[in-house]
C-alpha cells in the first residue's frame, strides 16, 4: 500500500466535499555515531568547508587520524562529512577516497556506527510477494495432522519424532524435519513469525540429507524475514538455498525482493530476469517494469548515505541540501525510535525529485505532496535548505516507514496516516468544528471504511479522511499514550481484523472510538 501525503485544504472544502463523497460512495542534528568509523589513509588529507576543493581549507588531517563519518555525498566526486571523535560539531568535508572505512555491525540500537552502502524498501507487501509453496511430498499431509491438531502444536509428537531421529536413519531424520516444518507453517499462518523461525531452524537440523526439505525451510525462513523487512538475513538463507537449488524460480524471486528491499536495483533486476526465464510470473513482470522505470529515472542522480538512510537526488537539488535532509532524517529517526520503541532493521532509501518527475514516476494523486512506497519519495520544488514544511513532510513519510515495518504492512490506513500526522506535529484544532458538524449530520466516513488505500479518493474525501484519522489517533494517544498504541500493534499482530485488536488494546470498537473522538474534540477544542 502506498502512503501519500495531503496538501493543506480548508475546512470549508473539507465540509462541502465529504458529504457528497460519502453519500455517493458505497456508504538539523548530527549522527548518533560516537566512535570512530574511519581513519585517514594518505600522509595528509585536506578538510574543506564545503564539498569543493575551491572552498576554504579548514585544516589538514594526517595519516592514521581517527574520524567519524556522518554522511557521504556523491556528486562528480565522493565527499564525506567528518568530525573528530567526541566532538558533536562537523569539522568539514574530505574526499572519501582518502579514508579507510571501518565496517561495523549495523543494528537497531540507534547507536549504529556505520552507514550501510544501500537503502531500504520497507514496503515488501506493497508488491506481490507470495509465500513459498508448501513442501507437500513425503507424507507431509499425514504428518501435519499428527503434529498440528486442535489448533495447537503437539509438542509430545515433535519430541517423539526427534527421539526417533537419534538413530541417524534418513527416513526418521526426514520425518523429524518435516514435523518441525509443519509446525513452522502453522506458526506462520497464525502470524507468529518468531515461533515460525524457531520451528524452521529446528527443521533444518534434520534436513541435511534431504535437499528439497532444506530448500523448503530456507525459503520459508527467507519469506518470514522479507515480510519483516529484514532483507540481509533473508539473503543469507537465499544464498544457501541457491547452492542447493540453483534453478529454483522461487529462490530467484525472493532474492529479487531482498535486493529490491536493500535498494540494490541492478541485482534485483538480474534475479527477477532469471526467475522469469525459469518460470514466468505476471507479478514479477510488473515488478521488473517498476524497477526498470526507477533505474532509468535515477540513472543520472547523485547519491548520499548516512547511518539509517541512503539518498538519491536530481541535479537541481544541491549536495548541501541532500546533506541537510540526511541530518534532518537522522534526527527524526531517533525521535521515532524513542517514541515507538522500535527501529527499522535496514537503512531507508530517500529519493528527491523535481515536481514534474515526481508526478511522472509516482502517478500520485494531485493532492499528494509526498509518497512512501517503501522509498520516501519527495518533490523538492526548488528548495535550497530544509524548511519547516519539508522537515514535517520528512517526519510524516519516515513515520510510515516505521509503521510499515512494525505492523508488517498490515496497519489500517487511518491509523497509519493519523500517526504520521501526529508525529509531524499536526493537531485537530483547525478541523475539530468541521469534524463535529459532519459527525452530527451522520454524513461522515466511518473509520472502518478508511482501512484500505485512499489513492483514488477525490480531494475533498481525502481531506476529511486525513483530518478524521488524525482526530481518532489523537484521541487514542490522549487516552492511552504511546503505550496504548504499542499494545494495539502487539494484539494486531495476532489478529486478522482491526476491531478485535481495538477491543483488546483500548476496550472499544469502531463506533465507540468515533464517539470518543467527538467527545475528545469537544473537550479539547471548545468553540
Amino acid at each position: 500500500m502506498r502512503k501519500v501525503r495531503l496538501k493543506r485544504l480548508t475546512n470549508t472544502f473539507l465540509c462541502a466535499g465529504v458529504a457528497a463523497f460519502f453519500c455517493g460512495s458505497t456508504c538539523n542534528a548530527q549522527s548518533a555515531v560516537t566512535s570512530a568509523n574511519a581513519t585517514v589513509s594518505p600522509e595528509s588529507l585536506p578538510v574543506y568547508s564545503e564539498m569543493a576543493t575551491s572552498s576554504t581549507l579548514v585544516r589538514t588531517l594526517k595519516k592514521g587520524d581517527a574520524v567519524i563519518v556522518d554522511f557521504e555525498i556523491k556528486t562528480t566526486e565522493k565527499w564525506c562529512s567528518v568530525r573528530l571523535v567526541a566532538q558533536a560539531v562537523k569539522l568539514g568535508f574530505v574526499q572519501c577516497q582518502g579514508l579507510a572505512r571501518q565496517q561495523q555491525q549495523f543494528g537497531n540500537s540507534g547507536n549504529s556506527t556505520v552507514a550501510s552502502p544501500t537503502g531500504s524498501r520497507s514496503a515488501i507487501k506493497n508488491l506481490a510477494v507470495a509465500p513459498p509453496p508448501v513442501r507437500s511430498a513425503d507424507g507431509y499431509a499425514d504428518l501435519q495432522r499428527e503434529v498440528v491438531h486442535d489448533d495447537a502444536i503437539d509438542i509430545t509428537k515433535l519430541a517423539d519424532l526427534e527421539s526417533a531421529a537419534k538413530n541417524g536413519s534418513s527416513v526418521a531424520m526426514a520425518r523429524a524435519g518435516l514435523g518441525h516444518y509443519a509446525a513452522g507453517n502453522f506458526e506462520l499462518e497464525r502470524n507468529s513469525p518468531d515461533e515460525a523461525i524457531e520451528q524452521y531452524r529446528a527443521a533444518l537440523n534434520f534436513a541435511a540429507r534431504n535437499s528439497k526439505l532444506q530448500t523448503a525451510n530456507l525459503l520459508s525462513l527467507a519469506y518470514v524475514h522479507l515480510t519483516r523487512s529484514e532483507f540481509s538475513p533473508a539473503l543469507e538463507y537465499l544464498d544457501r538455498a541457491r547452492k542447493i537449488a540453483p534453478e529454483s524460480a522461487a529462490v530467484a524471486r525472493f532474492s529479487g525482493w531482498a535486493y529490491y528491499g536493500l535498494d540494490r536495483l541492478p541485482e534485483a533486476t538480474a534475479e527477477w530476469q532469471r526467475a522469469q526465464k525459469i518460470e514466468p510470473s505476471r507479478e514479477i513482470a510488473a515488478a521488473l517494469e517498476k524497477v526498470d522505470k526507477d533505474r532509468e529515472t535515477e540513472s543520472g542522480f547523485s547519491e548520499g548515505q548516512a547511518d539509517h538512510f541512503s539518498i538519491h537526488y536530481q541535479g537541481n537539488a544541491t549536495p548541501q541540501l541532500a546533506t541537510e535532509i540526511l541530518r534532518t532524517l537522522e534526527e527524526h529517526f531517533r525521535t521515532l525510535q524513542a517514541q515507538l520503541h522500535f527501529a527499522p532493521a535496514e537503512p531507508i532509501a530517500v529519493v528527491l525529485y523535481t515536481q514534474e518527475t515526481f508526478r511522472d514516476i509516482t502517478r500520485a494523486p494531485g493532492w499528494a505532496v509526498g509518497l512512501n512506497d517503501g522509498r520516501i519519495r519527495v518533490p523538492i520544488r526548488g528548495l535550497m535548505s530544509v524548511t519547516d514544511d519539508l522537515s514535517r513532510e520528512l517526519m510524516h513519510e519516515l513515520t510510515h516507514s516505521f509503521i510499515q515495518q512494525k505492523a508488517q504492512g498490515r496497519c489500517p490506513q487511518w491509523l497509519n496516516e493519523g500517526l504520521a500526522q501526529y508525529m509531524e506535529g499536526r493537531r485537530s484544532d483547525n478541523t475539530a468544528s468541521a469534524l463535529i458538524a459532519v459527525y452530527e449530520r451522520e454524513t461522515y466516513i466511518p473509520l472502518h471504511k478508511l482501512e484500505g488505500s485512499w489513492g483514488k479518493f477525490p480531494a475533498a474525501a481525502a481531506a476529511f479522511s486525513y483530518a478524521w484519522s488524525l482526530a481518532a489517533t489523537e484521541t487514542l494517544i490522549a487516552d492511552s499514550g504511546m503505550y496504548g498504541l504499542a499494545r494495539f500493534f502487539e494484539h494486531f499482530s495476532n489478529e486478522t481484523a482491526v476491531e478485535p485488536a481495538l477491543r483488546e488494546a483500548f476496550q472499544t470498537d469502531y463506533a465507540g472510538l468515533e464517539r470518543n473522538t467527538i467527545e475528545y474534540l469537544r473537550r479539547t477544542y471548545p468553540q
Side-chain angles (χ1 to χ4, degrees):
M1 183 184 299
R2 304 193 310 169
K3 309 299 184 300
V4 291
R5 186 181 176 213
L6 179 71
K7 293 177 182 177
R8 296 181 183 273
L9 298 174
T10 65
N11 288 347
T12 302
F13 189 22
L14 184 155
C15 291
V18 67
F21 171 78
F22 177 66
C23 296
S25 68
T26 56
C27 270
N28 298 341
Q30 289 287 346
S31 164
V33 178
T34 57
S35 59
N37 55 18
T39 55
V40 175
S41 297
E43 292 300 324
S44 63
L45 183 64
V47 182
Y48 297 96
S49 60
E50 303 294 341
M51 284 175 272
T53 55
S54 59
S55 64
T56 303
L57 179 65
V58 176
R59 64 175 290 175
T60 300
L61 298 172
K62 64 180 186 297
K63 186 175 182 178
D65 282 348
V67 296
I68 295 172
V69 176
D70 286 318
F71 308 107
E72 179 181 307
I73 297 292
K74 179 182 177 183
T75 54
T76 54
E77 301 172 299
K78 282 189 177 180
W79 289 90
C80 287
S81 171
V82 298
R83 57 192 166 96
L84 299 177
V85 178
Q87 288 190 356
V89 179
K90 178 185 71 179
L91 183 62
F93 296 94
V94 302
Q95 293 183 319
C96 296
Q97 63 187 20
L99 296 175
R101 305 293 290 274
Q102 298 173 9
Q103 296 300 312
Q104 302 180 33
Q105 184 64 37
F106 178 84
N108 290 345
S109 66
N111 294 315
S112 310
T113 56
V114 65
S116 168
T118 55
S120 168
R121 288 178 186 244
S122 60
I124 199 70
K125 291 190 177 180
N126 291 351
L127 300 168
V129 185
V134 172
R135 169 73 181 154
S136 57
D138 305 323
Y140 173 81
D142 291 337
L143 194 56
Q144 180 193 39
R145 285 190 288 269
E146 295 179 40
V147 171
V148 179
H149 52 83
D150 301 320
D151 199 32
I153 295 173
D154 190 331
I155 303 299
T156 302
K157 180 62 180 178
L158 281 180
D160 290 343
L161 290 170
E162 290 185 3
S163 179
K166 288 180 180 179
N167 64 13
S169 162
S170 296
V171 173
M173 293 277 286
R175 283 177 58 81
L178 209 57
H180 280 291
Y181 174 63
N185 291 336
F186 170 75
E187 296 288 11
L188 186 59
E189 287 176 0
R190 67 174 187 173
N191 296 312
S192 300
D194 289 333
E195 290 78 4
I197 287 174
E198 182 180 351
Q199 293 293 343
Y200 290 136
R201 285 176 176 169
L204 284 177
N205 294 331
F206 298 96
R209 302 178 194 173
N210 189 320
S211 60
K212 291 182 178 179
L213 185 56
Q214 280 190 70
T215 303
N217 279 282
L218 290 168
L219 279 170
S220 297
L221 283 162
Y223 175 76
V224 175
H225 285 294
L226 285 174
T227 61
R228 302 203 302 190
S229 300
E230 297 164 352
F231 305 114
S232 297
L235 271 179
E236 293 177 9
Y237 288 115
L238 291 166
D239 288 343
R240 290 171 60 183
R242 186 179 297 105
K243 293 175 182 177
I244 301 168
E247 296 303 313
S248 168
V251 171
R253 286 182 193 134
F254 280 17
S255 296
W257 289 120
Y259 283 124
Y260 183 79
L262 289 168
D263 203 34
R264 294 165 62 175
L265 304 190
E267 291 99 324
T269 299
E271 288 295 333
W272 282 336
Q273 288 174 340
R274 190 164 69 87
Q276 290 297 78
K277 290 179 181 178
I278 301 170
E279 186 180 306
S281 158
R282 285 185 299 176
E283 291 78 12
I284 297 303
L288 274 169
E289 182 179 354
K290 178 178 177 63
V291 76
D292 284 346
K293 189 172 184 180
D294 273 349
R295 289 182 67 187
E296 180 182 358
T297 301
E298 297 168 24
S299 60
F301 280 30
S302 298
E303 300 173 356
Q305 58 192 37
D307 284 355
H308 303 104
F309 301 93
S310 70
I311 192 167
H312 309 260
Y313 59 98
Q314 289 181 290
N316 66 315
T318 66
Q320 287 79 9
L321 175 60
T323 300
E324 194 174 337
I325 286 174
L326 284 173
R327 288 186 183 130
T328 302
L329 284 166
E330 288 289 347
E331 180 180 358
H332 290 339
F333 188 100
R334 293 193 293 274
T335 298
L336 287 168
Q337 184 177 25
Q339 289 287 322
L340 301 177
H341 306 290
F342 169 82
E346 306 278 5
I348 299 166
V350 182
V351 189
L352 311 180
Y353 300 101
T354 63
Q355 188 73 36
E356 181 181 354
T357 305
F358 174 77
R359 295 297 172 201
D360 179 63
I361 197 73
T362 65
R363 301 299 181 187
W367 44 260
V369 296
L371 183 143
N372 187 330
D373 61 357
R375 290 175 127 190
I376 295 175
R377 302 176 188 260
V378 181
I380 294 303
R381 299 180 293 274
L383 295 177
M384 300 301 293
S385 63
V386 176
T387 63
D388 289 343
D389 281 346
L390 178 56
S391 178
R392 286 191 292 268
E393 185 173 330
L394 293 171
M395 173 61 91
H396 183 107
E397 301 301 342
L398 182 57
T399 303
H400 285 317
S401 294
F402 271 69
I403 297 172
Q404 170 70 27
Q405 295 195 33
K406 186 171 182 63
Q408 298 176 34
R410 298 177 60 243
C411 185
Q413 184 81 330
W414 64 265
L415 180 57
N416 205 327
E417 293 295 353
L419 189 54
Q421 291 176 89
Y422 186 90
M423 293 308 302
E424 67 166 284
R426 289 201 192 191
R427 296 297 182 265
S428 300
D429 48 338
N430 293 325
T431 57
S433 59
L435 291 171
I436 293 169
V438 171
Y439 180 84
E440 289 177 341
R441 291 199 302 268
E442 298 184 358
T443 55
Y444 67 99
I445 307 174
L447 285 171
H448 75 269
K449 290 184 176 291
L450 299 178
E451 289 184 3
S453 173
W454 304 351
K456 295 184 179 180
F457 280 14
F464 172 83
S465 301
Y466 274 89
W468 190 219
S469 297
L470 172 60
T473 303
E474 199 175 330
T475 301
L476 292 175
I477 294 174
D479 290 345
S480 304
M482 286 295 181
Y483 175 75
L485 288 179
R487 209 166 50 229
F488 170 82
F489 284 121
E490 179 182 347
H491 287 293
F492 187 49
S493 65
N494 293 315
E495 296 286 352
T496 57
V498 176
E499 202 157 31
L502 279 176
R503 293 192 187 98
E504 290 290 339
F506 301 107
Q507 293 75 54
T508 190
D509 56 12
Y510 267 134
L513 175 56
E514 290 165 357
R515 289 193 301 271
N516 292 344
T517 299
I518 296 302
E519 292 172 4
Y520 167 81
L521 293 176
R522 288 192 177 112
R523 181 174 67 249
T524 309
Y525 306 108
Q527 302 303 309

